[in-house]
């Protein structure tokens, strides 16, 4: 608006300048009048022109001054907002820290004591069910904290160094964690050719822990059969976790890896596990997707595929 | 019988260690400490009279943290076996660099912890497993 107003006055000044030139040409060149007789008219137009130009410049200067003030105010505002955001970030980190340390400690005690009771052969079967229920709830709370922490770690990129790791050892570690997470379930893991090296970091264990956990969670039977198949795709390894669980319907296949989506089945979760899997695998430059174990019949189990690029690929 | 020194500022966690360790019958919870400084003092006191086979060390504690305590204990006894336990994954690298034989993420799972204790103690080369 301010510059629009100044522009209006500048245009007026140009108009006067043109009029002045026209008058000069008309009087001196066309009507052959002497310059002396033309001079008062020229002075008149000239004076108006100069006044207009000066006025327009002062107007522009004032507008520039205002603009500078606006700019300073904007900078102050941005600075204040940045400070507020930094404070908000610190507060959120504080709560996350509190959650990951203090609540993790409390969960450790709850789960640990329940676990020791579950190991006691004198505990009755009816009591065992109650204990497993309490243990599962505490475990769920722990998993939420763990996943949130891992996502924060990935975002901060602290302490992550890729190195060569054996898939066999990664699977063993993940399997140990899964076995400990589901007391009372019989979980059998078959792996055809696990003897490959992956160029990854420690977070790879979480990928397979989440995939194997999901396979157990979504298998309604007490006994769980999980197969891991490895394929060489040239520049990358494809590792497939195959289960015989309730499967993933076609309409949600693309949604399961998204944040806060979860399958509307009888098993609860925060939907962070598969999102974490995708986030970690994407960092390695790999892909994740899910398909039916038996093509066209999702109810007979799923195949969760992960690709990991080979070193230097 | 293996002797374990458990270090954590949470009494509930120490109680859990006591329950787990005594459950197996293979180990004894020799003593506990509620901060790094106390752990160093206790380790020093045991050094001349009784062997501490394993120290389970927390990280975030008042007075002295787990990293510092790990370094001090290892400076006293290069053979010390320290199993580092923390909810903070970012200290894993520092803990292993400080000389811890192992890092376990909190929350702990009992079975995993027991298996882990056995692995660490078996790696000492001691064949006197009961």
């Amino acid at each position: 608006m301010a510059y629009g107003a100044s522009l209006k006055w500048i245009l007026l000044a140009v108009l006067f300048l043109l009029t002045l030139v026209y008058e000069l040409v008309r009087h001196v060149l066309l009507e052959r009048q002497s310059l002396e007789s033309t001079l008062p008219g020229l002075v008149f137009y000239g004076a108006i022109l100069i006044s207009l130009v000066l006025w327009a410049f002062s107007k522009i200067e004032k507008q520039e001054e205002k603009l500078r003030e606006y700019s300073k105010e904007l900078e102050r505002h941005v600075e204040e907002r940045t400070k507020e955001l930094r404070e908000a970030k610190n507060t959120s980190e504080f709560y996350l820290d509190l959650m990951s340390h203090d609540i993790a400690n409390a969960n450790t005690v709850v789960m640990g004591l329940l676990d020791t009771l579950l190991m006691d052969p004198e505990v009755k079967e009816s009591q065992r069910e109650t204990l497993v229920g309490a243990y599962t709830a505490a475990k769920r709370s722990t998993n939420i904290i763990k996943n949130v922490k891992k996502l924060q770690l990935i975002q901060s990129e602290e302490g992550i160094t890729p190195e060569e790791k054996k898939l066999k050892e990664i699977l063993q570690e993940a399997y140990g964690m899964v076995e400990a997470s589901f007391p009372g379930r019989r979980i059998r893991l078959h792996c055809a050719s696990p003897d490959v090296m992956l160029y990854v970091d420690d977070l790879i264990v979480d990928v397979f822990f989440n995939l194997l956990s999901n396979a157990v969670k979504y298998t309604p039977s007490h006994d769980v059969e999980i197969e891991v198949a490895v394929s060489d795709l040239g520049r990358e390894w494809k590792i497939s976790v195959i289960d015989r669980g309730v499967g993933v319907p076609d309409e949600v296949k693309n949604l399961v890896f998204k944040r806060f989506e979860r399958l509307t089945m009888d098993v609860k979760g925060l939907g962070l596990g598969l999102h974490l899997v995708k986030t970690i695998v994407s960092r390695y430059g790999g892909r994740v997707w899910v398909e039916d174990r038996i093509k066209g019949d999702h109810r007979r189990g799923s195949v969760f595929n992960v690709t990991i690029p080979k070193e230097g690929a | 019988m293996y002797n374990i020194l458990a270090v954590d500022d949470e009494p509930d966690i120490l109680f859990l260690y006591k329950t787990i360790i005594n459950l197996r019958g293979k180990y004894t919870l020799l003593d506990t400490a509620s901060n790094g400084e106390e752990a160093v003092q206790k380790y020093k006191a045991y050094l001349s009279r009784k062997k501490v086979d394993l120290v389970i060390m927390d990280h975030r504690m008042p007075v002295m943290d787990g990293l510092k305590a790990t370094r001090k204990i290892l400076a006293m006894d290069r053979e010390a076996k320290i199993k580092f336990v923390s909810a903070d994954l970012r200290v894993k690298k520092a803990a292993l660099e400080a000389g811890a034989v192992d890092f376990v993420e909190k929350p702990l799972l009992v079975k995993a912890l027991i298996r882990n204790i056995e692995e660490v103690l078996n790696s000492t080369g001691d064949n006197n497993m009961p």
Side-chain angles (χ1 to χ4, degrees):
Chain A
M1 279 297 280
Y3 268 101
S6 301
L7 194 69
K8 195 171 74 188
W9 290 107
I10 289 169
L11 283 172
L12 203 61
V14 171
L15 195 68
F16 266 93
L17 178 70
L18 289 173
T19 314
L20 180 70
V21 172
Y22 169 75
E23 284 298 314
L24 187 68
V25 170
R26 189 169 63 84
H27 281 91
V28 179
L29 297 176
L30 300 177
E31 293 177 10
R32 305 268 174 209
Q33 289 180 8
S34 67
L35 198 62
E36 286 79 14
S37 63
T38 315
L39 208 57
L42 289 178
V43 169
F44 172 72
Y45 280 118
I48 292 176
L49 180 68
I50 290 166
S51 309
L52 277 174
V53 169
L54 287 175
W55 190 85
F57 273 118
S58 75
K59 190 94 176 156
I60 289 172
E61 220 167 85
K62 272 183 192 163
Q63 300 302 342
E64 277 179 349
E65 183 61 35
K66 262 189 186 171
L67 203 67
R68 271 196 293 274
E69 273 172 27
Y70 285 144
S71 164
K72 270 184 193 167
E73 203 180 311
L74 195 69
E75 267 175 35
R76 264 199 307 274
H77 191 64
V78 169
E79 216 167 89
E80 273 171 24
R81 295 289 297 150
T82 311
K83 199 180 159 197
E84 279 171 24
L85 283 172
R86 206 176 292 129
E87 279 168 10
K89 186 174 173 277
N90 288 343
T91 309
S92 81
E93 275 175 1
F94 167 75
Y95 284 118
L96 188 64
D97 200 43
L98 182 82
M99 197 167 75
S100 62
H101 184 260
D102 296 12
I103 301 179
N105 267 354
N107 281 348
T108 294
V109 178
V110 172
M111 284 164 54
L113 295 178
L114 286 171
D115 213 3
T116 51
L117 278 174
L118 281 165
M119 282 190 257
D120 186 347
E122 285 178 22
V123 171
K124 289 179 199 161
E125 204 50 44
S126 57
Q127 291 170 322
R128 193 171 294 274
E129 255 177 50
T130 313
L131 293 173
V132 169
Y135 182 91
T136 311
K139 180 73 193 147
R140 199 185 308 145
S141 139
T142 299
N143 281 344
I144 296 167
I145 296 168
K146 272 193 175 182
N147 286 343
V148 171
K149 264 170 58 193
K150 295 275 161 67
L151 284 168
Q152 190 213 19
L153 187 73
I154 293 166
Q155 278 162 7
S156 68
E157 287 291 329
E158 278 180 54
I160 293 168
T161 325
E163 54 185 344
E164 275 206 324
K165 285 180 189 286
K166 281 185 184 164
L167 176 62
K168 192 178 176 181
E169 285 171 11
I170 295 164
L171 287 173
Q172 270 170 353
E173 193 177 343
Y175 175 72
M177 286 159 68
V178 173
E179 217 188 9
S181 300
F182 295 92
R185 300 289 293 272
R186 208 170 77 171
I187 306 156
R188 271 190 289 195
L189 181 70
H190 310 278
C191 192
S193 51
D195 208 16
V196 298
M197 298 295 281
L198 300 179
Y199 191 64
V200 287
D201 57 28
D202 285 349
L203 291 170
I204 190 69
V205 177
D206 291 274
V207 169
F208 291 104
F209 169 70
N210 277 292
L211 293 179
L212 297 177
S213 289
N214 267 14
V216 179
K217 268 194 237 172
Y218 292 103
T219 299
S221 60
H222 176 270
D223 290 4
V224 187
E225 297 280 336
I226 310 169
E227 196 188 323
V228 174
V230 184
S231 328
D232 188 347
L233 301 184
R235 293 172 70 85
E236 54 186 6
W237 294 107
K238 184 177 94 173
I239 303 133
S240 308
V241 176
I242 307 155
D243 67 56
R244 284 155 204 272
V246 295
V248 183
D250 287 347
E251 59 271 25
V252 289
K253 279 192 171 73
N254 289 329
L255 301 176
V256 291
F257 294 101
K258 286 187 180 164
R259 206 168 177 177
F260 305 126
E261 293 290 346
R262 68 175 174 211
L263 304 184
T264 52
M265 292 166 198
D266 205 20
V267 182
K268 287 175 180 168
L270 246 198
L272 273 181
L274 288 176
H275 173 65
L276 182 66
V277 167
K278 191 183 178 186
T279 310
I280 296 171
V281 171
S282 301
R283 279 173 59 254
Y284 303 140
R287 298 165 287 137
V288 286
W289 72 98
V290 59
E291 50 197 9
D292 298 334
R293 187 175 67 86
I294 308 288
K295 216 170 183 179
D297 187 359
H298 79 265
R299 287 166 301 179
R300 295 176 69 184
S302 311
V303 180
F304 281 85
N305 298 298
V306 167
T307 65
I308 307 283
K310 291 178 183 173
E311 191 181 356
Chain B
M1 196 72 93
Y2 288 117
N3 293 317
I4 297 175
L5 169 66
V7 190
D8 204 298
D9 59 328
E10 294 273 348
D12 291 344
I13 297 272
L14 292 176
F15 173 68
L16 177 68
Y17 285 145
K18 192 178 169 188
T19 312
I20 297 170
I21 290 163
N22 291 342
L23 199 73
R24 302 301 283 178
K26 293 178 185 174
Y27 329 111
T28 311
L29 183 64
L30 182 66
D31 212 334
T32 61
S34 58
N35 63 62
E37 175 70 42
E38 195 185 341
V40 174
Q41 294 309 324
K42 285 195 171 172
Y43 195 94
K44 196 176 176 182
Y46 281 114
L47 203 55
S48 55
R49 49 196 178 98
K50 206 165 198 173
K51 189 173 185 281
V52 175
D53 296 291
L54 182 70
V55 180
I56 301 177
M57 180 74 78
D58 182 32
H59 172 52
R60 203 181 301 178
M61 292 179 290
V63 188
M64 185 189 288
D65 67 32
L67 279 178
K68 219 172 193 175
T70 298
R71 288 191 198 103
K72 287 206 167 196
I73 289 174
L74 284 163
M76 254 189 296
D77 176 13
R78 285 181 61 192
E79 301 296 310
K81 296 270 178 284
I82 301 170
K83 176 189 213 25
F84 212 86
V85 179
S86 175
D88 190 352
L89 269 181
R90 289 168 298 186
V91 296
K92 181 178 178 178
K93 202 177 162 205
L96 297 176
E97 277 171 3
V101 285
D102 193 19
F103 178 94
V104 183
E105 191 188 351
K106 269 185 183 172
L108 306 156
L109 295 168
V110 175
K111 278 182 194 160
L113 182 70
I114 290 170
R115 193 170 44 222
N116 207 264
I117 288 174
E118 284 175 2
E119 274 169 16
V120 172
L121 289 174
N122 286 338
S123 71
T124 59
D126 192 336
N127 293 320
N128 296 328
M129 264 303 268

